[in-house]
Amino acid sequence: MIRSAPVKLSARAAAIQESATLRVTRRAAELKARGVKVMDFGAGEPDFPSPPVAVEAARQALAEGFTRYTPGSGTPELRSAIAESSAARWGSPWQGKDCVVTVGGKAALFELTLALLEPGDEVVLPSPCWVTFPEQIRFAGATPVTVPTSVEDGFRIHAGPLLEAVTTRTRAILLNAPCNPTGGVISPEDLRRVVAFAAERGLMVISDETYERFVYDAPPASAAALAAEFPDAVALVGSFSKTYAMTGWRIGYLLGPAPVVHAVESIQSHATSNPTSFAMVGALAALRHAEPEVEVMIAEYRARREIIAEGLNRIPGFRCIPPHGAFYAFPEVRGCFGPGRRSSIEIAEYLLEEAAVAVVPGAAFGADDHIRLSFACSRATLAEGLERIAAALAR
Ligand code: GLU
């Protein structure tokens, strides 16, 4: 073997970290492959099957040879159906041409940051926040400016502190409500304040509404409801992964103003080309026919939310407020810090090694006093996982 000089990576690649959520998933999968019975609260991945109607539509599409390239921005049918669904629910003005179907919501966000951000720009976003947001923003050369939300306040997202963080360098405000990892929501009034402010300043509100259907005790809010009034200020990202339990299908989308949509289309035409053809057929069937399944899932998450919050609050040193939305519990665990468990990372490591329980350390989301547990897992996993956590931490 002839070795050359060490491989030199770009500064961009050298700076980026593996996604902490996907790392936990990988490590849990490694343990499972070794025969360990892992209680997996790691990735936010619904335990429900994808809707049969979506599976059947995709199967049929495959059988009929729908296996070639489609237009790069997605099939016209799915783009129109997404826009129509948004118009019906929120009165948004978007049409099929204002929609790009992407390889999961993550790709829509990635392409958006590349389309909008310059080195030196800032993006204001509430914190704790999903691991991927700061990495994507930095990858585009810009700077994430985080604005804290607080556990005492149920991690609600308020307009005031966000707008105070806006400077002349701000290019966008990035919202994710309900929030991964906190479940924090934003009120329709606060959302309106943020979007109106952005419109006045020529900023973009990127609204990642992946968890939009999962709200438990607050009125739902969507930036789609403001897009007719402030058409240049709203870029909305959505996903089929969580709503329809279709994570592996990798279908997400962007809805937004024409220049942004065109830029994202061009980027996507060089990055991925179209999302998988037959997966889009399945997604269209889910959008049209799987509402009953969605309602069953929402009801079940609502019940699990109570179970997990109660269970976590019984563990000495844990404090958990029932999340207002999404399907993550985000307990404060500082009360459990001690020798060998001095941080959320060490607690997560300890739980994985000693109890075969997978959780994501809060540090990954900018909150080292917390850990994140997805309750998109079965009630049996909830029960046994909670027992194992309590027992392991009592040792
Ligand atoms: N979004 C989910 C999570 O936070 C799936 C993994 C990922 O893409 O981060 O767990």
Side-chain angles (χ1 to χ4, degrees):
M1 191 200 315
I2 302 168
R3 304 299 307 254
S4 49
V7 176
K8 186 174 176 308
L9 296 174
S10 69
R12 212 183 293 115
I16 201 161
Q17 309 277 327
E18 180 189 6
S19 159
T21 47
L22 297 191
R23 183 168 57 238
V24 170
T25 312
R26 180 168 55 75
R27 292 196 54 197
E30 282 163 10
L31 282 179
K32 287 176 199 168
R34 297 209 317 254
V36 179
K37 193 170 168 222
V38 179
M39 295 300 115
D40 195 350
F41 299 103
E45 167 143 60
D47 58 316
F48 296 95
S50 300
V53 71
V55 175
E56 192 42 46
R59 197 201 313 269
Q60 220 171 344
L62 266 172
E64 287 168 5
F66 193 66
T67 53
R68 300 185 181 277
Y69 293 134
T70 73
S73 308
T75 59
E77 295 79 10
L78 183 56
R79 296 172 75 191
S80 295
I82 290 168
E84 281 160 20
S85 159
S86 174
R89 296 186 57 229
W90 299 106
S92 57
W94 296 308
Q95 300 172 13
K97 66 176 173 42
D98 307 311
C99 176
V100 186
V101 185
T102 56
V103 182
K106 200 177 257 182
L109 288 160
F110 197 54
E111 291 164 356
L112 257 180
T113 53
L114 294 176
L116 291 173
L117 303 178
E118 303 272 10
D121 285 349
E122 292 177 354
V123 178
V124 171
L125 72 165
S127 168
C129 63
W130 183 39
V131 288
T132 290
F133 293 140
E135 293 290 350
Q136 288 191 345
I137 293 165
R138 282 193 281 264
F139 197 79
T143 305
V145 175
T146 52
V147 175
T149 56
S150 80
V151 62
E152 283 71 27
D153 190 31
F155 293 108
R156 278 195 185 76
I157 297 164
H158 297 288
L162 285 173
L163 303 186
E164 274 164 32
V166 169
T167 70
T168 51
R169 290 181 295 281
T170 306
R171 176 72 196 93
I173 300 171
L174 172 51
L175 298 176
N176 169 222
C179 168
N180 171 6
T182 65
V185 293
I186 189 166
S187 69
E189 297 74 32
D190 276 279
L191 185 54
R192 161 171 278 279
R193 253 186 89 193
V194 173
V195 173
F197 178 95
E200 194 188 303
R201 298 282 188 99
L203 309 177
M204 186 63 65
V205 174
I206 301 172
S207 188
D208 173 357
E209 301 188 3
T210 294
Y211 299 93
E212 174 242 338
R213 296 300 305 275
F214 309 113
V215 282
Y216 305 114
D217 41 26
S222 171
L226 301 160
E229 196 176 346
F230 306 104
D232 300 324
V234 177
L236 188 148
V237 171
S239 169
F240 284 75
S241 295
K242 319 292 182 181
T243 307
Y244 297 105
M246 291 174 68
T247 44
W249 300 60
R250 308 312 301 136
I251 300 293
Y253 56 89
L254 157 75
L255 291 157
V260 175
V261 164
H262 292 153
V264 165
E265 287 183 314
S266 298
I267 293 169
Q268 179 154 301
S269 77
H270 293 291
T272 62
S273 301
N274 62 273
T276 302
S277 55
F278 45 89
M280 286 191 280
V281 176
L284 181 62
L287 186 60
R288 287 197 174 140
H289 305 296
E291 187 56 26
E293 282 95 327
V294 174
E295 273 157 31
V296 168
M297 291 190 268
I298 294 170
E300 177 60 17
Y301 293 141
R302 185 187 293 280
R304 290 179 193 172
R305 171 183 85 133
E306 303 300 330
I307 297 171
I308 196 166
E310 262 177 51
L312 289 170
N313 280 324
R314 276 201 297 271
I315 298 173
F318 276 42
R319 179 161 73 117
C320 180
I321 52 142
H324 293 299
F327 43 54
Y328 304 104
F330 200 57
E332 207 172 15
V333 297
R334 170 162 278 280
C336 289
F337 285 3
R341 307 202 286 255
R342 286 168 311 235
S343 66
S344 63
I345 295 177
E346 287 188 4
I347 288 202
E349 291 282 332
Y350 176 81
L351 291 176
L352 193 61
E353 299 303 327
E354 299 298 319
V357 172
V359 304
V360 186
F365 309 99
D368 195 28
D369 287 355
H370 295 255
I371 58 173
R372 191 193 79 175
L373 297 92
S374 161
F375 51 90
C377 57
S378 70
R379 291 196 196 200
T381 301
L382 282 184
E384 183 168 346
L386 287 167
E387 235 172 69
R388 286 195 200 177
I389 295 172
L393 292 176
R395 289 205 279 273

